[in-house]
Structures are given as structure tokens and as C-alpha cells.
Amino acid sequence: MTSSVWMREPTPGDVFHVARNMRDMDAAEILLLHKSLDRDAFAAVTCAMIPRAMAAIGIGIDGAPFCAAVLLICGNESTPWLAEASLFATNDFPRVAGPLVRFIRRQVIPALIADGVRRGECRALASYAATRRFLRHAGAVEETPLIDHGPTSETYVLCAWRRSDFVKEG
């Protein structure tokens, strides 16, 4: 069943709702890399990042008061042509995944390229096949495993959106 969806800059209420109701695998993947395994602490840090983000997108299902997913893309001050992406979602994510993939491919990637970004990166827990599949659908390429990347030696996979994959020069 296809749902009608909406997108907006996520509010603090959206961020806390999604963090508190995050899919278990999202929590395992994201909170491992966060200084705290506390969902509210993660939400507070995420809210503080939104004003400085290159893009902050909340996507929800029509009729729902809060987002089902939050996508945050931040620049890297030491490497200004690099963007770093993170996404976390509730169990309603399958209902918004397709529209979000289309939005990333049609709007987000071209806008980042226009802003001078040459590369976007995301790290996915190697054992989380759903995340890796979503990232591939959204145009990312799996580049390399990151051995011992997690705090208890979990392996992550570095995924990237590369300008050269989207813009053919010459």
C-alpha cells in the first residue's frame, strides 16, 4: 500500500519522537557510535545540529503528527567538499522509504552537487542489510568495510555518494 507522505524540517518534537521510537536495528547501528546509548541524549544532540546542517528532512505519513524518519546531512569543516549523512526511523519507515529515495536522488544529491559537495558519506552496520539496501537504492555505493569501527569492534561499511557517479564531465 502506498501512503501519502509529507516532508518538512524536523521539529524537536519530531526528532525526539523518532529517537524514542527508533527501529531496534537503527538504535543498534546509530547509538553504538554515539557517546551515549540514551535515545533522548541522541535526540538532543541531533536537534542542536539541525540549524548548522546542509539539509535536515523529516518525512511523515499523512495524518501523523510526527515524522517517521529524520535525515540529517552535515558538512565537514575540515573537508568542505564532504558531507556526512545519517538517517534514523520508526517502524513506519517502509511506508516512507520510496518517496524518500526519490527525494534524495532527485533533489538532495543535485542540490549538494550544486553547493560544491563532491562526496557524501554514511556508515552502515555491516550486519544491517536493510540499511545497506536502502542506501544503494538512494544512489550510494558501498566502498569498504570499516573493521573495529564500533566501540565493541563492530564492522561498519563506508557508503558514499560520489559526484563522479552523478555528473559526467568532459
Side-chain angles (χ1 to χ4, degrees):
M1 175 176 114
T2 303
S3 301
S4 295
V5 300
W6 48 261
M7 291 187 201
R8 66 178 181 218
E9 181 173 300
T11 66
D14 290 325
V15 174
F16 276 87
H17 170 78
V18 176
R20 289 173 179 159
N21 296 284
M22 194 181 325
R23 299 177 295 176
D24 290 340
M25 281 303 295
D26 282 10
E29 180 177 56
I30 293 169
L31 297 180
L32 277 172
L33 297 180
H34 195 264
K35 290 181 183 178
S36 167
L37 295 178
D38 178 81
R39 291 172 188 237
D40 281 353
F42 169 74
V45 168
T46 301
C47 286
M49 294 171 67
I50 288 173
R52 299 185 316 271
M54 299 175 88
I57 301 152
I59 184 168
I61 302 158
D62 276 354
F66 296 108
C67 294
V70 173
L71 170 65
L72 190 64
I73 301 173
C74 295
N76 185 314
E77 290 183 21
S78 64
T79 314
W81 55 88
L82 174 66
E84 297 174 357
S86 67
L87 172 73
F88 56 105
T90 68
N91 287 330
D92 285 328
F93 184 68
R95 297 175 64 187
V96 300
L100 185 56
V101 162
R102 288 188 293 280
F103 186 75
I104 290 168
R105 292 181 79 95
R106 295 177 186 165
Q107 302 291 324
V108 174
I109 293 169
L112 291 173
I113 290 170
D115 283 346
V117 173
R118 301 190 68 75
R119 180 181 178 83
E121 292 182 349
C122 183
R123 285 146 185 79
L125 194 58
S127 60
Y128 196 5
T131 293
R132 294 169 63 194
R133 184 172 45 253
F134 172 81
L135 291 169
R136 285 191 304 272
H137 287 300
V141 174
E142 291 186 6
E143 290 189 329
T144 190
L146 301 170
I147 310 299
D148 293 336
H149 190 68
T152 55
S153 296
E154 296 83 7
T155 297
Y156 281 70
V157 176
L158 178 63
C159 300
W161 293 267
R162 304 174 297 208
R163 182 181 188 277
S164 58
D165 292 332
F166 295 96
V167 176
K168 302 303 176 200
E169 300 196 45

